[in-house]
Amino acid sequence: MTESTPSTAQDPAVEPVPDKARTGLILATACVAQVMVVLDVSVVNVALPSIASDLGFAASGLSWVVNAYTLVFGGLLLLGGRFADFVGHRRAMFLGLAVFGITSVIGGLAQTPGQLVAARAGQGLAGALLAPLSLAIIMVTFRDGPSRSRAVGVWAMVAAAGSALGVLLGGLLTQWLSWRWVLFVNVPIVLVGLVLAWLSVRDTHMTRIRALDLPGAFLVTVAVTALVNGLIRAGEHGWGTTGALLSFAVAAVTGALFALWELRSATQPLVRFGVFRARAVWVANLVVLFIGAATVAGFYFASLFLQNVLHYSPLRAGAAFLPFCAGTIAGSMLSGRLTARFGTRVVLSTGLSLGAAGMLLFGRMDSDSTFTNGFLLPSLVASTGVGLCMVANTSLATAQAAPHEAGLISGLINAARQIGGSLGLAILTTVAAAGTAPVSPAAHLRHLADGYGRAFYVTAAFCAVAAVIAGTCAPGIRRTPRSGEEAPAEALGTSTG
C-alpha cells in the first residue's frame, strides 16, 4: 500500500518548486518554529530555582518542569510528524503555533506546581507537531541535494544555537522581569511564526497520507512515559520499589506491543521499520539519542551548579553561558565545511569526543571553582563539539530522505533527541542525588558539587559511547550529490559494512 495519496491528477513529482523568495520564507518559518521548540527545553533551566521558590516545588519534583515538556514531546513526535502529513503542512503549522502560544500564557500565569507542569506538557504537545513539521517542510521544499544540505545545515545550526541561547535568555528574563517571562516570551515568537507561515507555507500533496496510526501512537507514548516515570521513582524511592518496578514492566510490555502492532497490524504504521535498513538513518537516530541525553542533562546541571554551588544570580548564570553559545555557533558553522572535506564519520566522532572531553572537565569543578578556572574551558570545548555533531548528524539523517517520508524521518530524529533528553535527565537526577546530604553549609556545598560532578561524568560517558558508534558505524558521506547525479551507496545507507 502506498504511503502518499495525491489529491489531484497532477503528478506530485513534478509539482512546481516554490520561487526563491518563498523558499527563503519557508526556511525562516521552519527556523522560527524549531528555535521556539528547542528554546523551551533550555530557557527554563536558569529559572528553576526561582520557580521552585515561588511555587513551592519539592526538590525531587522540580525536574518535572523539564520532564513534562520533553516527555510529552518525545512520546508524541512520531504522531506529530504523521499528523502534519495527514492534515497538511499549512494547517498543522497554524495549529501547532496557536497551541504553543496558548499553553505558554497558561504556564506563565500558573499559581501551583501542577498548573505549571500541565502547561509544560501542553507546550510539549505543540512542540511534537512543530518540530517534525519544521524539518519536513524543508525536506519537501528543498529537493535538490546541495540546496537541501544547505537548508538543513541552517536549520540544525539555529536549533543548536537556540538551545544554548535559551539559557542566556532565561537568565535575563528571570533577573530583570520574573521566571514567568521565560514562558511569556514565546508569544511574540508565535506571532512572528504565524505571519511567516501565512506568507509562505502551503500544503504539499505528495506528503499526504490517508490515515493516522493512533494505536501505535498510544502504545509508544505509554511506553516512554512509563519508562521515565520508573526511573524517576527509582531515584526518589529506590530501584526495588513497587512503583518503579511496575512502571518498568508497563514500559516493556507496551514497547513490545508497539513493535508487534507496527510490524503486523498497522495499515499505515506510525514507524515504517524498513527505513532503518538505511545505515544513515539508524546510526543518526542512535547517535542523537545520546546527544539528547548529554545536552539536556548538561544544561540542567550546569545551571544548577552555577546557582546552587557558586551562588550566581539568574542573570549572571545566563551570562556565563555566552561562551557556550559562541562555541555552539562556531561548531555549527564549521560543520558543513568539515563534513564536505572529511565526511560525516570523522566530523561526528570528533564532535562527540570534544563533547565528552568538555563534560569530563565540567565534572572536575568543585565548590571552590570560579568561572575562569572551572566553567569557561569546558564550556568552549563541549559546545564546539555539540555544534559540530548536531549539524552533521541531522544532515546524515535527512540527506537522501524521500519527500513522502519527510514527516516520518523528521519525527524519528526529533523523537530520538527528545526521548534521549528525558531519559538522560531522569537517570542523571538519580545519580546526582545519591548519598545523604550533610548538615553543615560548607559540607552541603561539597555534596552538591560532588553530585553534579557524577552527573557530568555520566554525561561524558554518553558522548563517548556515541562517538564510538559514529566512528565505527556512520557512513562516510562527504556531500549530498547534486540533482541528476547517482548517489553513492553509503549516502543511501545501503552499505552494511
Side-chain angles (χ1 to χ4, degrees):
M1 183 177 292
T2 59
E3 287 279 330
S4 57
T5 305
S7 62
T8 69
Q10 184 181 12
D11 182 358
V14 295
E15 284 185 358
V17 177
D19 59 72
K20 187 173 182 179
R22 190 157 74 83
T23 57
L25 288 175
I26 289 173
L27 181 57
T29 304
C31 289
V32 166
Q34 182 66 5
V35 78
M36 183 171 63
V37 169
V38 300
L39 195 70
D40 271 65
V41 177
S42 61
V43 73
V44 301
N45 284 333
V46 175
L48 288 175
S50 299
I51 292 172
S53 176
D54 192 18
L55 297 185
F57 270 93
S60 59
L62 187 59
S63 65
W64 277 103
V65 177
V66 178
N67 268 335
Y69 180 85
T70 58
L71 182 57
V72 176
F73 190 7
L76 293 176
L77 268 165
L78 296 178
L79 178 62
R82 292 317 241 177
F83 179 79
D85 290 343
F86 179 67
V87 303
H89 291 169
R90 185 178 174 85
R91 292 178 184 176
M93 182 65 75
F94 288 149
L95 177 63
L97 289 170
V99 173
F100 212 113
I102 292 169
T103 53
S104 295
V105 172
I106 293 173
L109 296 174
Q111 300 299 312
T112 66
Q115 291 173 359
L116 179 58
V117 169
R120 291 285 289 165
Q123 287 182 314
L125 175 64
L129 180 56
L130 290 175
L133 175 59
S134 67
L135 186 54
I137 61 175
I138 290 175
M139 293 164 63
V140 171
T141 302
F142 299 88
R143 299 179 201 167
D144 175 67
S147 65
R148 179 188 283 187
S149 295
R150 287 191 294 271
V152 168
V154 171
W155 179 91
M157 182 179 69
V158 167
S163 185
L165 289 170
V167 184
L168 172 61
L169 182 61
L172 292 172
L173 294 172
T174 303
Q175 181 77 18
W176 289 348
L177 298 172
S178 80
W179 67 263
R180 298 180 183 278
W181 280 93
V182 302
L183 298 161
F184 290 147
V185 72
N186 291 317
V187 175
I189 301 176
V190 165
L191 294 176
V192 171
L194 286 171
V195 172
L196 289 172
W198 179 266
L199 294 173
S200 63
V201 178
R202 303 289 183 268
D203 289 336
T204 305
H205 298 302
M206 68 185 306
T207 64
R208 297 293 288 271
I209 59 175
R210 292 192 297 272
L212 289 174
D213 181 16
L214 295 178
F218 172 77
L219 288 170
V220 73
T221 302
V222 172
V224 175
T225 303
L227 179 58
V228 175
N229 183 62
L231 289 167
I232 292 175
R233 285 180 176 271
E236 293 176 356
H237 308 295
W239 290 89
T241 58
T242 302
L245 294 176
L246 180 60
S247 293
F248 291 142
V250 171
V253 171
T254 52
L257 289 174
F258 170 72
L260 288 173
W261 170 261
E262 297 298 293
L263 289 170
R264 298 183 179 182
S265 301
T267 56
Q268 290 194 315
L270 190 68
V271 177
R272 185 179 69 79
F273 286 104
V275 299
F276 291 107
R277 294 193 188 100
R279 186 164 53 140
V281 174
W282 69 259
V283 169
N285 278 274
L286 187 57
V287 167
V288 84
L289 186 77
F290 285 100
I291 293 174
T295 54
V296 171
F299 279 126
Y300 180 83
F301 287 105
S303 299
L304 292 181
F305 185 93
L306 288 170
Q307 294 183 82
N308 292 343
V309 177
L310 302 186
H311 302 298
Y312 278 25
S313 67
L315 177 59
R316 191 179 179 191
F321 277 92
L322 277 173
F324 202 103
C325 299
T328 302
I329 294 172
S332 300
M333 294 177 68
L334 287 171
S335 183
R337 296 178 184 177
L338 294 177
T339 300
R341 182 171 183 180
F342 300 107
T344 52
R345 182 187 296 120
V346 172
V347 174
L348 272 176
S349 57
T350 301
L352 290 163
S353 297
L354 286 173
M359 292 302 172
L360 284 174
L361 291 172
F362 272 128
R364 293 174 58 85
M365 295 189 302
D366 56 32
S367 56
D368 295 322
S369 296
T370 65
F371 174 77
T372 53
N373 72 16
F375 199 80
L376 178 59
L377 179 60
S379 293
L380 292 172
V381 174
S383 61
T384 303
V386 168
L388 283 174
C389 62
M390 284 297 292
V391 174
N393 198 65
T394 304
S395 298
L396 174 65
T398 61
Q400 299 298 325
H404 72 273
E405 291 192 321
L408 172 60
I409 296 297
S410 56
L412 285 170
I413 199 73
N414 278 283
R417 178 165 54 245
Q418 296 306 323
I419 291 172
S422 186
L423 294 179
L425 185 58
I427 293 170
L428 294 177
T429 299
T430 303
V431 171
T436 303
V439 176
S440 70
H444 179 67
L445 281 182
R446 288 194 297 271
H447 173 76
L448 284 176
D450 289 344
Y452 297 152
R454 288 193 300 271
F456 283 123
Y457 287 143
V458 176
T459 301
F462 288 156
C463 291
V465 171
V468 172
I469 294 171
T472 57
C473 302
I477 302 173
R478 293 198 177 207
R479 64 180 177 87
T480 304
R482 294 183 180 276
S483 180
E485 285 184 6
E486 182 179 355
E490 280 199 324
L492 294 169
T494 54
S495 174
T496 58

